[in-house]
Amino acid sequence: MKEKSKLISQEKAFKFDFGYVPRSSAVFYYKYDKNFKTTIIILNYWKLKRGADVVIFASTRGMSGNLVKREIIDFKKGMVIQYSPVFEPDEFEGSIEIEVMSSSNLFIPYSAVTAVYETKKSISAVHSYGRFYSHHEIEEENMICEGRQSSITINESKNIKTSFVVHNGNEKLEVQECDLSVQNHRGERKTFKFSLCELKPYETKKIYLSDVVPELKSFTEGKLAFCSAGLNLKNSVLRYLVCWETNSHDQIQVTHTDFDYSYFEEEMLKDTICKVISPSVNGEIASVAIHGEFPPGELLLKKNSDKSKITIETGKTRFLKSEKVIDIISNSDLIPSRIHTEFYGDLNNETILPFHVSVGAFHSKWPLKRFWWGSVISSKEKNTKILIDEIDFIEGSKSHESFTISLYSSSRQDHLRKVIPVEKLEKFTKGVDISEIFPEACEFLDENFGYYTLYYEGGNFFVYSLIENSFGSITLEHGF
């Protein structure tokens, strides 16, 4: 591993300070068989936000990186693309890269795309987590391919296993020594080493953690554990997919990793309000892990329910249940600009694998964000709720009288639109079914995946989509 030196600037990201961006992309794990389906869902947000025309290339590769198919996909049928290519034979595992090209500035090199993974019993969605760097980024060495990832929860109970999915870039990567720094439910931390084989160009590797670290199950004792990981890639963004799967392979839940800011540098903010706001899922406040991969130091977590305080220090994770609002306080008046959080579904349900979703703490210097979009579906077997939390301490935010939700389909160029009085916001904090907002949603979407958009002039909403299937499996993902 290289010595810590790289600053990952949230301020730069908030300002879209990436230079001129003619190519925006994302890469996803892709699999299908008789029990498993992956759907890549893309909204033509480039046209909605900026009036930009784009060309989209979809490249499907096998696990070893071999190109299977490359084609242009477009929005001729509707404002949403559902992409699930099928090949002979009836089973496939690998990756799909989405590359978006334009003569206009796309501003952000990550494409805002969603992948949905479905088994016979489960459903799980994740937004863009990885991408292969563009040639100019490689030439300018403007990359983060080496270092550490965090915001990782390991679930190694008797019927569940955890894996990473990583996507190597366009050059071979030699054999490397990797590590997991794991905190178990007792608060004990241990570092495990393992070797990762050579990765071919564009290779996708699925790493089952208990296979490479056999002692992991005994150390975690079948309870949730939290970790950071040291693993490098070549010309590919250093983020990976975290999968929880049942041993029978009939359920899967996924989320993404994020950068370990006890390894990388980040900005520290002065005189800043910082809070964790947990979403309410079907009437229950989601459990939360607050990951301590931030610069060296100690923070206080103040629970709003009883005003009690607990400490969190660098390298530690705190797990809390049923806390809607948690204040994060620093004795030095400096708050890390990024503090990773991860929310969970019902961890006591022995039948349904719970969702896990990576988000982050909110602070008062967040920029106002007025336009949101996220995946939805309304069908006989699946329904979607829109959840909204108001972040009322963002500097410059003001309440406005209404917000607007629109619905876009893969089979139509038009859209549905509804203006909602802000007095209805409290109802949305608990979740409102898309079919309640739009009674014709099922027919309009043709029972397929689509996208909502939400516009609020106040700019201080945080929006999720919650999709639930007929088995009771839930996926929760925040909007773009």
Side-chain angles (χ1 to χ4, degrees):
M1 294 295 171
K2 287 187 176 180
E3 291 298 317
K4 171 180 171 178
S5 61
K6 185 80 172 181
L7 169 67
I8 303 178
S9 172
Q10 188 177 58
E11 182 180 4
K12 178 180 176 179
F14 283 162
K15 291 179 177 179
F16 305 146
D17 184 13
F18 300 104
Y20 190 86
V21 181
R23 173 186 178 269
S24 180
S25 68
V27 61
F28 293 94
Y29 176 61
Y30 184 72
K31 178 182 176 180
Y32 69 80
D33 57 35
K34 63 181 180 179
N35 298 314
F36 196 107
K37 180 182 180 182
T38 307
T39 307
I40 309 297
I41 315 167
I42 311 168
L43 173 69
N44 194 358
Y45 68 91
W46 304 276
K47 177 67 75 174
L48 293 176
K49 288 191 71 177
R50 306 189 188 279
D53 294 317
V54 298
V55 177
I56 302 177
F57 294 89
S59 301
T60 305
R61 299 181 175 94
M63 293 293 281
S64 64
N66 56 302
L67 181 66
V68 176
K69 184 176 185 178
R70 177 175 289 132
E71 61 181 327
I72 294 176
I73 55 179
D74 56 46
F75 295 101
K76 289 180 179 178
K77 290 184 179 180
M79 288 293 288
V80 175
I81 294 172
Q82 285 195 130
Y83 190 61
S84 300
V86 176
F87 314 98
E88 296 293 340
D90 295 333
E91 296 183 358
F92 181 85
E93 188 175 27
S95 69
I96 286 183
E97 181 186 16
I98 301 296
E99 296 178 276
V100 182
M101 310 288 193
S102 180
S103 59
S104 301
N105 189 355
L106 299 176
F107 289 93
I108 300 174
Y110 257 111
S111 295
V113 178
T114 303
V116 179
Y117 302 101
E118 296 180 84
T119 67
K120 288 186 175 181
K121 292 183 178 180
S122 67
I123 183 167
S124 188
V126 67
H127 66 67
S128 311
Y129 60 91
R131 70 178 180 93
F132 300 137
Y133 282 107
S134 296
H135 292 300
H136 69 276
E137 294 173 296
I138 297 171
E139 187 174 31
E140 296 165 4
E141 298 185 352
N142 184 20
M143 301 181 292
I144 304 174
C145 306
E146 301 180 347
R148 300 193 66 81
Q149 288 287 282
S150 68
S151 192
I152 301 167
T153 301
I154 296 172
N155 191 343
E156 287 284 335
S157 70
K158 62 180 180 179
N159 297 317
I160 302 169
K161 52 190 176 182
T162 301
S163 63
F164 295 159
V165 178
V166 297
H167 306 284
N168 192 42
N170 64 344
E171 294 182 26
K172 181 179 72 172
L173 183 64
E174 301 295 339
V175 173
Q176 60 180 300
E177 290 299 311
C178 308
D179 75 84
L180 298 177
S181 177
V182 184
Q183 174 189 318
N184 66 15
H185 70 105
R186 301 178 187 276
E188 301 165 339
R189 183 165 288 272
K190 187 174 182 179
T191 298
F192 301 92
K193 306 282 187 178
F194 67 95
S195 294
L196 184 61
C197 63
E198 173 188 287
L199 296 178
K200 302 181 185 71
Y202 298 115
E203 181 173 354
T204 292
K205 189 73 174 178
K206 193 170 188 179
I207 306 164
Y208 286 98
L209 302 189
S210 57
D211 288 348
V212 296
V213 181
E215 316 97 293
L216 193 61
K217 281 189 177 291
S218 60
F219 182 70
T220 60
E221 299 178 344
K223 308 288 186 181
L224 290 189
F226 312 101
C227 87
S228 64
L231 184 155
N232 298 333
L233 298 173
K234 191 73 172 180
N235 299 342
S236 178
V237 171
L238 187 68
R239 286 172 89 187
Y240 21 100
L241 191 69
V242 180
C243 308
W244 294 353
E245 293 176 80
T246 55
N247 291 334
S248 57
H249 300 289
D250 61 353
Q251 295 188 64
I252 187 170
Q253 288 290 340
V254 302
T255 191
H256 60 84
T257 63
D258 219 321
F259 296 106
D260 181 343
Y261 291 104
S262 64
Y263 177 89
F264 296 102
E265 294 181 24
E266 65 172 326
E267 293 113 342
M268 301 295 286
L269 305 175
K270 188 174 178 59
D271 301 324
T272 301
I273 299 170
C274 186
K275 298 175 186 284
V276 175
I277 300 178
S278 303
S280 297
V281 177
N282 290 344
E284 299 291 333
I285 299 171
S287 299
V288 62
I290 303 172
H291 297 289
E293 280 83 19
F294 46 69
E298 184 178 273
L299 299 172
L300 285 176
L301 306 178
K302 179 182 176 183
K303 298 189 286 185
N304 275 218
S305 61
D306 59 8
K307 307 303 180 185
S308 62
K309 296 178 182 179
I310 57 175
T311 60
I312 179 172
E313 59 190 65
T314 302
K316 293 289 187 180
T317 292
R318 288 291 192 175
F319 180 81
L320 296 95
K321 295 182 178 180
S322 303
E323 292 292 335
K324 180 64 181 176
V325 179
I326 302 163
D327 290 287
I328 300 180
I329 304 166
S330 170
N331 292 327
S332 69
D333 293 328
L334 290 175
I335 291 285
S337 57
R338 289 180 176 94
I339 299 173
H340 298 315
T341 64
E342 192 171 354
F343 298 116
Y344 310 92
D346 184 358
L347 296 166
N348 295 318
N349 193 317
E350 296 183 359
T351 304
I352 299 172
L353 192 61
F355 69 81
H356 55 138
V357 57
S358 297
V359 183
F362 303 101
H363 59 72
S364 55
K365 298 187 187 298
W366 270 49
L368 298 178
K369 179 174 171 56
R370 297 176 176 86
F371 187 72
W372 289 84
W373 66 100
S375 53
V376 296
I377 191 168
S378 180
S379 70
K380 295 176 183 176
E381 296 182 347
K382 295 181 277 286
N383 70 286
T384 305
K385 290 180 180 178
I386 305 298
L387 279 70
I388 305 172
D389 279 319
E390 184 178 23
I391 318 302
D392 59 6
F393 50 88
I394 296 178
E395 294 176 2
S397 63
K398 296 179 181 178
S399 180
H400 284 257
E401 61 184 17
S402 64
F403 55 95
T404 302
I405 296 179
S406 300
L407 189 63
Y408 293 88
S409 165
S410 61
S411 59
R412 307 163 190 261
Q413 294 292 342
D414 61 339
H415 64 279
L416 304 179
R417 180 176 180 270
K418 189 166 186 178
V419 178
I420 299 169
V422 76
E423 290 78 16
K424 298 286 184 68
L425 179 60
E426 184 177 354
K427 188 174 183 180
F428 277 83
T429 62
K430 301 173 182 177
V432 176
D433 200 301
I434 195 70
S435 62
E436 182 178 338
I437 303 168
F438 301 107
E440 64 272 58
C442 184
E443 180 181 358
F444 181 80
L445 295 171
D446 293 324
E447 299 196 45
N448 291 318
F449 289 104
Y451 270 88
Y452 75 85
T453 65
L454 185 149
Y455 184 84
Y456 179 56
E457 187 64 29
N460 62 345
F461 284 177
F462 195 84
V463 188
Y464 302 88
S465 53
L466 182 156
I467 301 176
E468 184 171 1
N469 69 11
S470 57
F471 185 71
S473 177
I474 290 173
T475 182
L476 182 73
E477 183 58 286
H478 63 80
F480 296 106

